[in-house]
């Protein structure tokens, strides 16, 4: 159960509006986005911002999760009371319908993440059999480390042999038919978490099997028990983090484990006189090749009269190439159409997930070539260049050449690029963080973080993640919450489109440390800077950007390793997660696995579960009795920050009390939470 210092704060959200200022079209605090939104209005062009207003108010049944479309007798809408309309035609209660609806989001989110992971694992396998000649093992150390951690013998084996074994193990995690626990998460979970997941029967053995099982479980006339359905959802969420972890690992092996890089963010990274290519989506197999192709074709661009080729990113594939290649960030999810409306984008190349179909209309108005690449992700009216990993660089070159040709037509025409951008220091993989902590304690880097928590120098750790959601104001709560947490000495790691909000605002810089960090956090970061000396090219930023949404696995590993170091299980750790603008089905899966891992999870929009008090109660209260994690739903950024601080403070206090008791009575550390 969460306990809040302010007793008016409960598991219910505050009275703040669910959708602030419904009629407001300018639903962003990003100055560059605001500038282009004005232009769009002048030109009478619709964007997601206009459509978000047009969709208000949302249908109450859908909003609360009590519209069932699981069979063709429906849709059934559930009303209050005990009349015949208080149940679906089949007799399903609101709690069954709400539980089924929400876990089906988890199934879809898990599918999206893990299909991405499967693609990476297959390409890693194909580096060993000639099936992906343009890809190679870039980080053999990481490969060895991954192999060892999942129990593969590394002695005497070549990189190719290891890659084959690691990729095969990863693929086995999708289709295993026995009941053996799934491999990847088992390599890093605490013993306490493993025991808990086995005892509650939510340890998955395969990804694909868990998803199909959940879809079967939620078919009409199968499971009516909401708690059982929720457990099925949590099992699937653990399959999700498994798919994400193997995706991160395979990506690091193929393209390198991120190290600190310096780059820039926001629409000002576009340049009138260069060929502008935006990579958008999630799959680094494509975006990495586009980066390489652009380097190879620089001279062709110059022959066409451009100063060069500028690649920039949107959404998480943007994060992937930002973390590894220092590719600048153009913008984040909500403002993706606005990037095109600058008139300066020659080609936007997309792969999978978070790609708005609305991009097509925008691209037609501004002569941008919108290029889809993946067999499961096409947009009518756009160009489709099938991406072929047997011929990856050539595939990517064809796309870059299309951009060069488009530039020739655009050359000399007026564009409207907002002159707004900020410096960014990113690239904080877990390995990079440990290297930095290792400047203080080379034998046990993670202990540096444990010590800072124990001494109270930092008051907790928050992982700020997730999307944009135009129910709110783009980036507003991301920024409010982050600034409040760092001012209260919370060490913040971040990822996804949340990190892009901070990047655009200039919070991922060392300058922001002086401006926003509380004294304790400042001391902690400066101590790391001092210990690193000239080994760091750039002083550490206020918050550590860990990467894309699959890379939240880095934070999950950090939490488990830190718990092990501190001799506790994750639910005792002063570690919280916040997704102020969660939007996608993937975000639902992510929230659920963090809950199962045992941490408080703030979500800044209400998920469709309010139609069942039972399901709402499980999510916000009962779950914490079983797993230690719980949801806090809160749309008001200031209240959300206070709730997050309370949840961390409570954990830190309890841990301190239990430690004192341990010393005084010479007992084992109490593991209660
Ligand atoms: Fe999509 Fe990953 Fe969400 Fe951003 S954060 S809106 S899922 S791009 Ni992952
Ligand atoms: Fe209605 Fe039941 Fe069919 Fe859902 S499963 S649509 S509640 S009849």
């Amino acid at each position: 159960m969460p306990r809040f210092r302010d007793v008016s704060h409960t598991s219910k959200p505050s009275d703040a509006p669910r959708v602030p200022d419904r009629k407001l079209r300018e639903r962003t605090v990003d100055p560059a986005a605001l500038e282009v939104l004005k232009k769009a209005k002048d030109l009478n062009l619709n964007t997601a911002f206009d459509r978000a207003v047009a969709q208000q108010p949302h249908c109450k049944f859908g909003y609360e999760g009590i519209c069932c479309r699981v069979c063709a007798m429906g849709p059934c809408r559930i009303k209050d009371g005990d009349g015949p309309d208080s149940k679906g035609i089949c007799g399903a209660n609101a709690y069954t319908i709400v539980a089924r609806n929400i876990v089906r989001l988890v199934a879809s989110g898990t599918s999206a993440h893990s299909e991405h992971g499967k693609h990476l694992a297959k390409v890693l396998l194909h580096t060993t059999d000639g099936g992906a000649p343009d890809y190679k093992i870039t980080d053999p150390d990481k490969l060895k480390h991954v192999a060892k951690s999942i129990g593969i013998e590394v002695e005497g084996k070549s990189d190719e042999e290891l890659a084959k074994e690691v990729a095969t193990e990863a693929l086995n995690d999708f289709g295993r038919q026995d009941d053996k626990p799934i491999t990847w998460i088992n390599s890093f979970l605490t013993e306490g978490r493993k025991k808990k997941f086995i005892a509650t029967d939510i340890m998955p053995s395969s990804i694909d099997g868990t998803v199909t099982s959940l879809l079967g479980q939620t078919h009409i006339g199968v499971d009516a028990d909401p708690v059982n359905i929720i457990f099925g959802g949590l099992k699937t969420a653990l399959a999700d983090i498994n798919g994400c972890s193997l995706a991160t690992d395979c990506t690091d092996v193929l393209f390198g484990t991120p190290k600190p890089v310096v780059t820039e963010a926001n629409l000002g990274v576009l340049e009138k006189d260069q060929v502008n290519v935006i990579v958008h989506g999630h799959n680094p197999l494509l975006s990495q090749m586009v980066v390489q192709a652009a380097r190879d074709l620089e001279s062709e661009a110059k022959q066409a009269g451009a100063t060069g080729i500028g690649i920039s990113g949107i959404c998480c594939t943007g994060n992937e190439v930002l973390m590894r290649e220092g590719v600048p960030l153009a913008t984040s999810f909500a403002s993706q159409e606005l990037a095109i409306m600058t008139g300066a984008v020659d080609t936007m190349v997309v792969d999978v997930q978070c790609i708005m179909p609305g991009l097509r209309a925008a691209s037609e108005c501004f002569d941008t070539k919108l290029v889809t690449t993946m067999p499961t992700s096409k947009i009518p009216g756009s160009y489709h260049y099938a991406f072929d990993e047997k011929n990856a660089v050539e595939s990517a070159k064809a796309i870059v050449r299309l951009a060069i040709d488009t530039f020739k037509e655009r050359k000399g025409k007026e564009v409207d690029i907002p002159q707004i951008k900020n410096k960014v220091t990113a690239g904080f993989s877990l390995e990079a963080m440990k290297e930095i902590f290792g400047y203080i304690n080379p034998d046990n880097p993670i202990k540096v973080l444990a010590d800072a928590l124990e001494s109270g120098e930092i008051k907790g750790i928050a992982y700020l993640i997730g999307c944009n959601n135009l129910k709110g104001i783009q980036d507003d709560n991301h920024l409010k919450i982050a600034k409040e947490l760092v001012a209260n000495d919370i060490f913040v790691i971040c990822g996804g489109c949340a990190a892009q909000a901070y990047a655009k605002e200039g919070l991922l810089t060392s300058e922001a440390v002086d401006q926003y960090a509380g004294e304790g956090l400042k001391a902690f970061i400066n101590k790391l800077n001092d210990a690193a000396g000239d080994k760091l090219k750039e002083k550490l930023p206020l918050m550590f950007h860990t990467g894309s949404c699959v890379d939240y696995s880095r934070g999950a590993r950090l939490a488990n390793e830190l718990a092990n170091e501190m001799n506790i299980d994750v639910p005792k750790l002063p570690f919280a997660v916040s997704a102020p603008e969660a939007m996608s089905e993937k975000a639902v899966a992510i929230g659920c696995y963090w809950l199962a891992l045992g941490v408080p999870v703030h979500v800044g929009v209400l998920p469709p579960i309010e139609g069942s008090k039972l399901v709402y109660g499980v999510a916000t209260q009962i779950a914490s009795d079983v797993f230690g994690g719980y949801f806090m739903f809160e749309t008001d950024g200031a209240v959300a920050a206070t709730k997050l601080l309370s949840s961390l403070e409570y954990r830190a206090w309890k841990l301190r009390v239990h430690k004192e008791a341990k010393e005084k009575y010479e007992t084992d550390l109490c593991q209660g939470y």
Side-chain angles (χ1 to χ4, degrees), residues 282 315-316 333 354 466-468 496-497 549 552 583-584 586:
H282 283 76
C315 283
C316 283
F333 173 77
C354 304
C467 320
N468 282 154
C497 286
C549 24
Y552 301 159
M583 171 279 300
S584 72
K586 293 177 289 171

Side-chain angles (χ1 to χ4, degrees), residues 322-384:
L322 183 149
M323 293 279 289
R324 293 191 182 81
E325 309 289 341
V327 167
L329 174 77
T331 193
S332 55
F333 173 77
S335 38
Q336 53 186 276
E337 293 158 297
L338 305 182
I340 288 180
M341 290 178 178
T342 60
V345 180
D346 297 301
T347 291
M348 183 182 282
V349 48
V350 303
D351 51 81
V352 287
Q353 301 162 24
C354 304
I355 299 144
M356 290 189 186
L359 288 172
R360 186 197 58 88
S363 64
E364 263 174 26
C365 295
F366 291 91
D367 297 325
T368 295
K369 302 288 188 297
L370 177 65
V371 179
T372 58
T373 53
M374 296 290 160
T376 56
S377 181
K378 300 184 180 181
I379 299 174
S382 62
Y383 292 69
H384 189 74

